[in-house]
């Protein structure tokens, strides 16, 4: 576990790491090799590196009066830009009588014929391979050690659409995509702050995936930023294909079903967390952005809470807390009461429940476990099947199987109601991976209730709270600001107070700028004409 005080007090000793670059292509202990001045050797080096790759192209071409060649990946570049901005200008340069002799004359040639394109001059073999893999067009010139890399890559990505897992009624409808540049721009549009930082790192020996850490300098706590940076820097793996893999590598060492890092598809949610003083992690190729640190109460908050009147937002938040408890303990309460504590039910209700269970051949725990497992199978089938039939299968399957099970006398009507209400309550959570934790714990607490009754339910809840208090997310206690109790942060936990009353950022983050806004008072209507002040 990371102690928060120790983490913040030792932040001065943590050096700021440099972003990973083409050095990642070198084997351990391998020394970088310089580009030679012999065009034929350079041509053979590129050819041997990519060998029979169908999307690799290299062509000899005249660079002014000198021989040269281009090499690039067809799958990574914009062919129209290649023709218009590189091939055609180079064909015109044949009439140029000047000779490229060194880097200065090469730069002058670039400015004259290839200006307007982002570029880099490199001198090492691994740097050349890096830029080819990154979608650059690389230009070699005879008798010149410098290689010109021109950026014209054009990778097709999914367009900006509404998030599929975190939908809201009122609020922005745009969501993150798989493009790193698009995701960065979506945040930049909302946070026009010159202190907003985006630090790039390369993770994965084979995939060379770009991972960006974003925070607002002057707001975010440097201890948390350095901790996130160092954990990403320590990742040594073959591949990174999604932000979920980064999640497992950098999360605190705790065997828990509760998520210790939040994720979102919504740019407004990510921007709001940046402004609170948190750190976000963007992974190239993933539409889900990670947010750290996170506390338990964050999973009951949604963007829409802040786009509606605070009374309505507070009511909806209360519904989420209530639904969480229903989804967690309602089936276990049914098992405990019907098996051990029938005296807790009113007589009329007890007679009704027992009459329905009269012909059921299984005990309550077997009934409810079978129905819960059946519903989980239907839910997973609905997710994995094609969208055109997925919802139909899950809904019709639940209705048909539930009705058939009741008519066959395998389960009671009351149990079907309990399982259905529990399933609906589990969908209320705005964060999908948190609802998965609730679903998994529900089975454990059902087994505890079947053995020990209500005592088992209570014991499980006590153990769960003890476990939650032991968790940390980048040095921050998971149950903060409830345990330990921070009164200043209660303005946006169980209820949401008006914006004018919520003046400070969360105290538990120990941000460098604790104050969110100046002192503001509740607005009041203007006085009517002729009305005397009291």
């Amino acid at each position: 576990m990371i102690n928060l005080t120790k983490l913040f007090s030792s932040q001065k000793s943590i050096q700021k790491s440099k972003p990973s670059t083409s050095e990642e292509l070198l084997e351990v202990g391998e020394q970088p090799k310089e580009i030679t001045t012999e065009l034929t050797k350079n041509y053979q080096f590129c050819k041997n590196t990519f060998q029979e790759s169908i999307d690799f192209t290299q062509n000899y071409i005249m660079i002014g009066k000198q021989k040269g060649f281009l090499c690039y990946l067809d799958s990574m570049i914009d062919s129209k830009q290649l023709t218009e901005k590189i091939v055609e200008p180079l064909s015109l340069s044949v009439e140029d009588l000047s000779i490229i002799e060194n880097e200065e004359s090469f730069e002058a040639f670039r400015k004259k014929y290839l200006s307007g394109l982002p570029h880099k001059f490199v001198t090492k073999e691994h740097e050349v391979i890096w830029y080819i893999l990154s979608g650059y067009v690389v230009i070699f010139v005879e008798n010149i050690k410098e290689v010109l890399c021109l950026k014209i890559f054009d990778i097709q990505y999914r367009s900006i659409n509404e998030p599929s897992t975190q939908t809201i009624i009122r609020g922005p409808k745009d969501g993150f995509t798989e493009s790193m540049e698009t995701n960065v721009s979506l945040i930049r549009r909302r946070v026009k702050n010159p202190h907003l930082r985006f630090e790039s790192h390369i993770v994965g020996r084979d995939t060379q995936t770009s991972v960006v850490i974003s925070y607002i300098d002057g707001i975010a706590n440097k201890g948390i930023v350095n901790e996130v940076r160092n954990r990403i820097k320590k990742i040594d793996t073959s591949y990174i294909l999604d932000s979920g893999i980064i999640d497992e590598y950098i999360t605190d060492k705790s065997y828990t079903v509760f998520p210790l890092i939040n994720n979102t598809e919504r740019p407004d949610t990510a921007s709001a967390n940046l402004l609170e003083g948190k750190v976000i992690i963007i992974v190239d190729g993933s539409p889900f952005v990670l947010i750290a640190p996170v506390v338990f109460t964050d999973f009951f908050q949604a963007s829409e809470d802040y786009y509606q009147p605070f009374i309505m937002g507070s009511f909806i938040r209360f519904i989420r807390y209530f639904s969480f408890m229903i989804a967690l303990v309602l089936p276990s309460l049914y098992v405990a009461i019907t098996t051990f504590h029938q005296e807790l039910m009113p007589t009329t209700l007890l007679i009704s429940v027992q009459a329905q269970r009269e012909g059921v051949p299984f005990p309550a725990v077997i009934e409810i476990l079978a129905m819960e497992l059946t519903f989980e199978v239907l839910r997973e089938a609905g997710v994995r099947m094609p969208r055109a039939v997925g919802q139909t299968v899950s809904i019709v399957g639940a209705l048909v199987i539930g009705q058939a099970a009741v008519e066959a006398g395998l389960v009671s009507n009351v149990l079907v109601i309990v399982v259905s209400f529990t399933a609906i309550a589990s969908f209320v959570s705005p964060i999908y991976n948190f609802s998965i934790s609730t679903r998994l714990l529900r089975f454990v607490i059902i087994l505890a209730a079947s053995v020990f009754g209500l005592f088992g339910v209570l014991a499980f809840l006590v153990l769960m709270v003890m476990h939650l208090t032991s968790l940390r997310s980048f040095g921050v206690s998971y149950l903060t600001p409830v345990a330990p109790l921070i009164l200043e942060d209660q303005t946006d936990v169980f209820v949401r107070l008006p914006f004018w009353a919520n003046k400070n950022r969360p105290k538990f983050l120990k941000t460098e700028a604790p104050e969110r806004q100046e002192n503001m008072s509740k607005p009041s209507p203007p006085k009517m004409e002729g009305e005397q002040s009291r």
Side-chain angles (χ1 to χ4, degrees):
M1 297 295 178
I2 297 175
N3 184 274
L4 187 61
T5 305
K6 182 179 179 181
L7 172 65
F8 292 160
S9 62
S10 62
Q11 57 182 293
K12 293 183 180 179
S13 63
I14 302 176
Q15 299 297 323
K16 185 174 181 180
S17 62
K18 296 181 180 180
S20 302
T21 57
S22 55
E23 304 298 328
E24 297 286 342
L25 293 177
L26 294 173
E27 298 292 337
V28 177
E30 182 182 0
Q31 296 298 320
K33 297 180 180 179
E34 297 284 340
I35 294 293
T36 69
T37 57
E38 298 182 34
L39 194 65
T40 305
K41 287 186 177 180
N42 292 333
Y43 187 93
Q44 195 63 36
F45 157 70
C46 293
K47 184 177 180 180
N48 292 339
T49 301
F50 291 93
Q51 296 185 357
E52 302 301 325
S53 297
I54 60 173
D55 62 339
F56 178 68
T57 301
Q58 54 183 156
N59 294 314
Y60 281 107
I61 193 171
M62 293 301 296
I63 313 293
K65 293 297 182 181
Q66 295 167 260
K67 291 182 179 180
F69 70 89
L70 308 177
C71 54
Y72 52 87
L73 295 174
D74 293 328
S75 57
M76 297 286 287
I77 70 163
D78 186 340
S79 57
K80 184 178 180 181
Q81 287 194 57
L82 173 66
T83 303
E84 294 178 354
K85 297 185 177 181
I86 297 181
V87 176
E88 291 181 359
L90 289 180
S91 64
L92 297 176
S93 70
V94 176
E95 305 298 328
D96 197 328
L97 300 178
S98 59
I99 302 296
I100 300 176
E101 299 177 344
N102 49 41
E103 187 175 354
E104 288 74 18
S105 57
F106 202 175
E107 172 64 12
F109 179 88
R110 184 201 66 80
K111 289 181 178 179
K112 185 175 181 180
Y113 293 101
L114 301 171
S115 61
L117 291 174
H119 71 284
K120 294 284 184 181
F121 282 99
V122 298
T123 59
K124 296 179 174 60
E125 291 182 351
H126 70 277
E127 293 176 328
V128 170
I129 301 305
W130 169 263
Y131 282 106
I132 293 176
L133 291 172
S134 299
Y136 284 68
V137 174
V138 175
I139 302 177
F140 290 81
V141 181
E142 190 175 24
N143 299 325
I144 298 297
K145 288 187 64 174
E146 288 79 17
V147 177
L148 176 60
C149 307
L150 298 172
K151 178 180 178 181
I152 59 168
F153 61 81
D154 181 32
I155 305 174
Q156 297 298 320
Y157 288 102
R158 178 173 57 92
S159 60
I160 298 175
N161 297 315
E162 184 177 358
S164 58
T165 61
Q166 298 175 358
T167 58
I168 62 174
I169 298 174
R170 180 178 179 180
K173 300 296 183 181
D174 55 343
F176 288 121
T177 69
E178 289 75 14
S179 169
M180 173 72 73
E181 292 76 12
T182 301
N183 295 342
V184 170
S185 68
L186 289 172
I187 296 175
R188 278 287 187 191
R189 293 176 190 175
R190 288 172 166 83
V191 185
K192 299 179 177 66
N193 189 326
H195 300 292
L196 177 60
R197 304 287 184 253
F198 292 96
E199 295 182 5
S200 178
H201 298 261
I202 302 299
V203 184
R205 294 187 300 273
D206 295 329
T207 58
Q208 297 292 302
T209 305
S210 295
V211 178
V212 169
I213 301 172
S214 180
Y215 61 95
I216 300 180
D217 193 18
I219 295 181
N221 186 288
K222 286 186 172 58
I224 294 177
V225 174
N226 287 332
E227 184 65 23
V228 174
R229 184 188 294 123
N230 288 342
R231 292 190 188 187
I232 290 180
K233 184 181 178 182
K234 291 178 182 177
I235 297 176
D236 183 14
T237 184
S238 173
Y239 64 91
I240 296 292
L241 300 177
D242 186 76
S243 59
I245 301 177
I246 295 288
D247 188 338
E248 286 201 21
Y249 274 111
I250 67 175
T251 192
D252 289 62
K253 293 181 180 179
S254 299
Y255 293 98
T256 179
V257 298
F258 294 98
L260 298 179
I261 296 180
N262 202 354
N263 67 80
T264 182
E265 283 186 282
R266 303 190 59 82
D268 57 329
T269 300
S271 301
N273 280 275
L274 283 172
L275 294 167
E276 290 291 299
K278 296 185 180 181
V279 180
I280 70 170
I281 303 168
I282 310 172
V283 179
D284 192 20
S286 174
F288 288 89
V289 167
L290 303 180
I291 302 172
V294 68
V295 295
F296 184 76
T297 56
D298 286 341
F299 296 101
F300 297 91
Q301 301 175 6
S303 300
E304 196 169 5
D305 297 350
Y306 304 92
Y307 305 146
Q308 298 191 36
F310 72 95
I311 296 177
M312 181 58 65
S314 300
F315 173 72
I316 295 174
R317 190 171 296 180
F318 171 77
I319 293 296
R320 295 195 191 105
Y321 283 104
F322 177 74
S323 298
F324 166 71
M325 293 306 300
I326 290 295
L328 184 65
V329 303
L330 182 59
S332 57
L333 291 178
Y334 173 82
V335 171
I337 292 175
T338 56
T339 306
F340 296 98
H341 310 283
Q342 294 91 342
E343 69 277 3
L344 295 179
M345 286 191 291
T347 305
T348 306
L349 179 60
L350 176 61
I351 294 173
S352 176
V353 170
Q354 293 301 330
Q356 293 181 33
R357 288 185 42 79
E358 185 177 357
V360 177
F362 305 109
V365 62
I366 301 299
E367 273 188 280
I368 204 155
L369 285 176
M371 289 300 296
E372 286 285 354
L373 287 172
T374 301
F375 190 85
E376 291 296 331
V377 171
L378 289 171
R379 175 163 23 197
E380 191 66 17
V383 171
R384 305 303 168 194
M385 292 188 68
R387 291 188 178 182
V389 296
Q391 292 183 352
T392 303
V393 168
S394 59
I395 295 173
V396 174
L399 292 174
V400 172
I401 292 177
Q403 184 66 26
V406 171
E407 291 181 357
L410 299 178
V411 297
S412 62
N413 287 316
V414 175
L415 185 135
V416 173
I417 295 173
V418 169
V419 172
S420 301
F421 187 44
T422 302
I424 293 172
S426 66
F427 286 121
V428 175
S429 175
I431 309 298
Y432 179 72
N433 58 339
F434 184 78
S435 66
I436 295 177
S437 304
T438 309
R439 289 157 52 188
L440 180 60
L441 291 175
R442 186 161 64 236
F443 288 96
V444 180
I445 197 170
I446 287 173
L447 294 176
S450 67
V451 178
F452 301 105
L454 289 178
F455 176 78
V457 175
L458 180 61
F460 178 87
L461 294 178
V462 171
L463 291 174
M464 186 184 76
V465 173
M466 292 173 60
H467 173 67
L468 289 173
T469 57
S470 69
L471 298 179
R472 299 291 183 273
S473 176
F474 292 88
V476 177
S477 178
Y478 198 56
L479 284 186
T480 305
V482 178
L485 181 64
I486 302 176
L487 294 177
E488 294 89 337
D489 291 346
Q490 300 303 313
T491 57
D492 192 20
V493 178
F494 299 104
V495 296
R496 182 183 80 79
L497 294 185
F499 285 112
W500 51 264
N502 199 359
K503 300 176 181 179
N504 297 318
R505 293 186 172 90
K507 188 175 181 180
F508 64 84
L509 291 175
K510 299 186 183 298
T511 59
E512 295 187 359
E515 194 175 74
R516 182 188 286 116
Q517 62 189 9
E518 298 292 337
N519 290 330
M520 293 188 64
S521 58
K522 179 180 178 182
S524 56
K527 297 177 180 179
M528 300 295 293
E529 185 177 354
E531 181 180 357
Q532 295 181 355
S533 60
R534 297 182 179 179

